[in-house]
Amino acid sequence: MNILGISAFYHDSAAALLVDGNIVAAAQEERFSREKNTAAFPAAAVRYCLSEGEIGLDEVDHVVFYDKPILKFERLMETYLATAPYGFRSFRLSMPTWIKDKLLTKKGIERELKTISGAKPQSLLFAQHHQSHAASAFYPSPFDSAAILTMDGVGEWDTTSTWYGEGAQISRRTSISWPHSLGLLYTAFTYFAGFKVNSGEYKLMGLAPYGQPKYRDLIMRELIDVKKDGSFRLNQRYFSYATGLRMINKAFEDLFGWSARHPEQPLEERHMDLAASVQAVTEEVVLRATRWLAQETRTRKLCLAGGVALNCVANGKVAVDDAFDEVWVQPAAGDAGGAVGAALVGHYYHTNTRTPQQDGMRGGFLGPDFDQGEIEQTLSAARAVFQTLDETTALARASDDLADSKIVGWFQGRMEFGPRALGARSILADPRDTTMQARLNLSTKYRESFRPFAPAVLAEEQANWFDGDVSSPFMSFVVPVSSFHQVTEGAIGLSRLKNVVSAIPAVTHVDGTARVQSVAREQNPHFHALLEAFRSRTECPVLVNTSFNIRGEPIVRTPLEAFECFMKTDMDSLVIGNCYLSKAEQIPALRTRAVISAFVD
């Protein structure tokens, strides 16, 4: 049975293809359109999935959409009616779009698919939003049975839901409904701190360790009422997302005593303290919910999905908590992963048998790849200067560059699905270099200096470098770096960036933690081989691993995009397949034009 899952029209559109219950392809539309977090119908991603599966749309048994637009429209209408006349402006602006497009999602999907194939799908089904998240969390996990927690901004009505998965079935246990949302609480503080809604939340998480949770008690007293079981209600007196065009209102600003930060204004200590405070509250809510869920389900295994599950700091606290022995997080935990979940809902609606797989997400490598001939042809057409090496020599050249503190672009195999680069579309560097974090942030990624970087570590060496005993192949957990701390006392705020806190400072956050990626030979053999080569050269089995893109752009998909990104930044070398490129050898005219375009863009 072939099933195509689709998420679209709201945030981070994607498509996924299942063949006989196995995920064979999945991709986000942003990687094709180059519009980050695009909500457009994932036409290019659908084409890719069908091509990867070597089938036509007429061979797809069911197309499954990841939520139910009618229920979402019902929620909007009831909210507007309940709060009238407040929210009229929001109502007036949103209704034309809903009536024209979103309310007619079924016809829109059929129209888009007909453009692709010339015919309507055989069967078009709709899953519920949190059902899709729950399915994406449980079915690809290695567990026979598990508790499931999904938390995000909002689906149709639900913002939080708990489930129990066993065999081929998932069953809903509890839910929390709009407008009470932990995801929207975090987004409100993202907005208040001056970051972009629905994309800047990870910046707030990265900023939190620089501050102190001075406002935690104020938030718990005034903004959110949290029960022992993790259920909660938000005080709507302080928020306007339900009725207006802003996340917060004047009462929220008056509570803290200042207005929302403009994105171009400097970050101050109070913004860091805000980030630390809402992060602490988020962790408290999640831990209360997971501990209660463990008691209710009497299981020692937990699956997580939904946008809040991208908060890897909170995930790390759950993973080392005593409530569960094992925690599995869907790597594309946000709306993009809903495409995978929707397809899985469709599959298990029609079958009652399931055999758990150790790696149902195939390492996250579900996107397009390019053979050596395509790579060489592309580079030649771009007038790139490159050498084609055998695999052993390419690995040696890359590891030598890394050991010499060079920044290396790394483009290998199938593209990752989800927000994080896992060694297929990565920028790599030496984690021991005390200047590397600033260099990567400011002249490679063109982003804020405080942003941390993740370490990729040989799985067999992880316990020697990181605490917590948590396997993290998808960078889902933040854990402490083990006993290499050399903490400098006295610094506060962003001045803590100058602290050398471990033997691998480029991947150690100011609080001594890191968002670790466990790299196993069987799951990611080529990247594992590079880490082994770097260890042989340096005795360090860890590399800085950050996504192959610059600020504001999606991760690169093609060899040409990789070359263009390489030329726009201060990356020193690039390895695409077995092709090796040195920046110093590139044509000067190309280098100058690319650097100029990086700032024009």
Side-chain angles (χ1 to χ4, degrees):
M1 183 165 53
N2 303 321
I3 300 183
L4 182 68
I6 292 174
S7 62
F9 305 134
Y10 303 104
H11 182 70
D12 205 7
S13 296
L17 179 66
L18 260 65
V19 176
D20 297 329
N22 296 308
I23 307 167
V24 300
Q28 291 140 278
E29 185 68 10
E30 67 167 22
R31 308 290 170 84
F32 299 87
S33 70
R34 309 309 298 162
E35 179 188 347
K36 194 163 185 175
N37 297 324
T38 182
F41 185 83
V46 168
R47 290 189 184 96
Y48 156 68
C49 288
L50 295 176
S51 175
E52 186 68 35
E54 298 182 335
I55 62 173
L57 189 64
D58 59 335
E59 298 173 87
V60 172
D61 298 287
H62 305 284
V63 175
V64 188
F65 194 69
Y66 82 127
D67 73 2
K68 296 192 174 184
I70 295 295
L71 289 180
K72 187 165 288 190
F73 182 73
E74 174 187 281
R75 186 249 301 168
L76 288 174
M77 289 301 298
E78 287 196 22
T79 300
Y80 288 136
L81 290 172
T83 58
Y86 300 106
F88 176 76
R89 185 182 176 205
S90 174
F91 174 83
R92 180 174 57 83
L93 292 174
S94 64
M95 280 306 103
T97 300
W98 267 95
I99 293 171
K100 180 177 179 292
D101 296 318
K102 295 180 180 180
L103 195 57
L104 303 175
T105 298
K106 182 176 186 292
K107 289 185 178 180
I109 294 172
E110 290 176 343
R111 181 178 63 251
E112 294 284 356
L113 293 176
K114 187 175 181 180
T115 301
I116 293 171
S117 68
K120 289 183 180 180
Q122 296 183 42
S123 167
L124 178 55
L125 307 173
F126 291 81
Q128 290 191 17
H129 188 96
H130 274 252
Q131 181 186 25
S132 295
H133 278 321
S136 78
F138 176 65
Y139 290 128
S141 80
F143 306 145
D144 291 310
S145 60
I148 309 166
L149 174 64
T150 69
M151 307 180 88
D152 64 4
V154 62
E156 295 90 359
W157 282 98
D158 292 343
T159 67
T160 298
S161 62
T162 65
W163 306 69
Y164 181 72
E166 185 170 20
Q169 303 298 319
I170 57 172
S171 55
R172 182 191 297 263
R173 305 293 292 263
T174 64
S175 63
I176 298 173
S177 295
W178 166 271
H180 308 290
S181 166
L182 185 63
L184 291 177
L185 175 70
Y186 206 88
T187 295
F189 279 88
T190 299
Y191 173 87
F192 192 46
F195 301 124
K196 188 176 180 180
V197 168
N198 288 332
S199 66
E201 285 77 7
Y202 54 90
K203 297 181 184 181
L204 194 71
M205 182 178 65
L207 187 64
Y210 292 96
Q212 299 296 321
K214 295 179 181 179
Y215 306 104
R216 177 195 176 278
D217 292 346
L218 179 64
I219 295 169
M220 295 285 278
R221 183 176 67 250
E222 294 291 337
L223 299 183
I224 184 170
D225 177 24
V226 187
K227 305 302 182 185
K228 290 183 179 180
D229 63 358
S231 60
F232 57 86
R233 292 181 64 83
L234 298 189
N235 186 346
Q236 291 301 303
R237 174 173 174 262
Y238 295 98
F239 302 95
S240 57
Y241 57 78
T243 59
L245 300 176
R246 298 176 75 221
M247 291 300 302
I248 59 174
N249 56 29
K250 189 175 184 301
F252 187 105
E253 294 174 326
D254 289 346
L255 182 67
F256 292 96
W258 64 86
S259 300
R261 169 181 165 264
H262 188 276
E264 301 307 318
Q265 290 177 329
L267 285 164
E268 301 174 8
E269 185 176 342
R270 60 185 178 180
H271 301 120
M272 302 169 206
D273 294 339
L274 277 174
S277 301
V278 74
Q279 179 64 36
V281 169
T282 298
E283 292 166 15
E284 177 70 18
V285 175
V286 172
L287 282 170
R288 289 191 193 184
T290 53
R291 288 167 182 168
W292 174 84
L293 189 55
Q295 294 177 354
E296 286 295 303
T297 59
R298 300 184 181 275
T299 181
R300 301 293 297 176
K301 295 177 174 61
L302 174 68
C303 297
L304 298 173
V308 175
L310 291 173
N311 192 310
C312 48
V313 179
N315 294 347
K317 298 292 177 64
V318 172
V320 300
D321 193 47
D322 290 335
F324 292 97
D325 296 328
E326 296 180 77
V327 180
W328 193 90
V329 184
Q330 164 58 237
D335 279 2
V340 169
L344 288 162
V345 169
H347 176 78
Y348 286 104
Y349 180 81
H350 291 93
T351 182
N352 288 317
T353 60
R354 169 178 174 262
T355 302
Q357 303 176 44
Q358 190 60 36
D359 183 18
M361 288 296 293
R362 298 192 175 190
F365 305 111
L366 296 165
D369 63 353
F370 301 84
D371 63 34
Q372 187 65 24
E374 290 176 298
I375 293 169
E376 293 180 20
Q377 184 178 8
T378 297
L379 293 176
S380 296
R383 298 171 64 199
V385 178
F386 64 94
Q387 297 172 274
T388 299
L389 310 172
D390 62 79
E391 184 175 325
T392 301
T393 305
L395 285 169
R397 188 75 64 87
S399 62
D400 286 347
D401 283 355
L402 290 163
D404 291 338
S405 287
K406 293 182 178 179
I407 299 173
V408 178
W410 185 254
F411 185 108
Q412 303 291 328
R414 296 184 68 178
M415 181 180 68
E416 300 93 339
F417 178 59
R420 291 165 184 143
L422 301 171
R425 306 289 186 272
S426 292
I427 298 173
L428 308 174
D430 187 344
R432 304 168 302 160
D433 189 328
T434 57
T435 68
M436 191 57 71
Q437 181 188 10
R439 183 181 167 197
L440 282 167
N441 271 326
L442 299 178
S443 58
T444 303
K445 302 284 284 187
Y446 302 127
R447 68 186 197 180
E448 300 89 347
S449 62
F450 67 84
R451 300 272 294 279
F453 290 99
V457 60
L458 291 170
E460 60 269 28
E461 289 277 0
Q462 182 176 333
N464 297 326
W465 290 79
F466 301 93
D467 293 337
D469 190 27
V470 177
S471 178
S472 182
F474 304 122
M475 290 188 186
S476 299
F477 305 100
V478 165
V479 298
V481 176
S482 59
S483 58
F484 301 96
H485 298 305
Q486 301 173 20
V487 178
T488 302
E489 300 292 345
I492 61 171
L494 292 183
S495 63
R496 296 171 69 190
L497 275 169
K498 300 177 181 179
N499 292 1
V500 177
V501 296
S502 83
I504 45 175
V507 292
T508 306
H509 212 357
V510 293
D511 60 353
T513 64
R515 175 165 52 90
V516 67
Q517 178 195 1
S518 321
V519 182
R521 188 191 309 274
E522 61 275 11
Q523 194 174 52
N524 198 345
H526 203 58
F527 194 34
H528 188 276
L530 178 63
L531 282 160
E532 282 190 318
F534 184 73
R535 178 180 61 177
S536 297
R537 180 81 162 70
T538 65
E539 298 185 353
C540 177
V542 182
L543 285 171
V544 179
N545 180 13
T546 187
S547 56
F548 203 143
N549 66 328
I550 62 174
R551 180 182 182 181
E553 292 186 359
I555 294 173
V556 300
R557 176 177 61 90
T558 68
L560 179 59
E561 291 164 5
F563 177 66
E564 290 174 341
C565 185
F566 167 66
M567 295 297 287
K568 285 180 179 180
T569 70
D570 74 342
M571 275 185 270
D572 299 290
S573 55
L574 172 62
V575 183
I576 308 183
N578 288 339
C579 293
Y580 174 86
L581 298 83
S582 168
K583 178 66 67 61
E585 295 175 354
Q586 302 309 308
I587 300 170
L590 291 178
R591 293 168 58 189
T592 302
R593 188 166 69 247
V595 170
I596 291 173
S597 71
F599 291 96
V600 172
D601 293 346

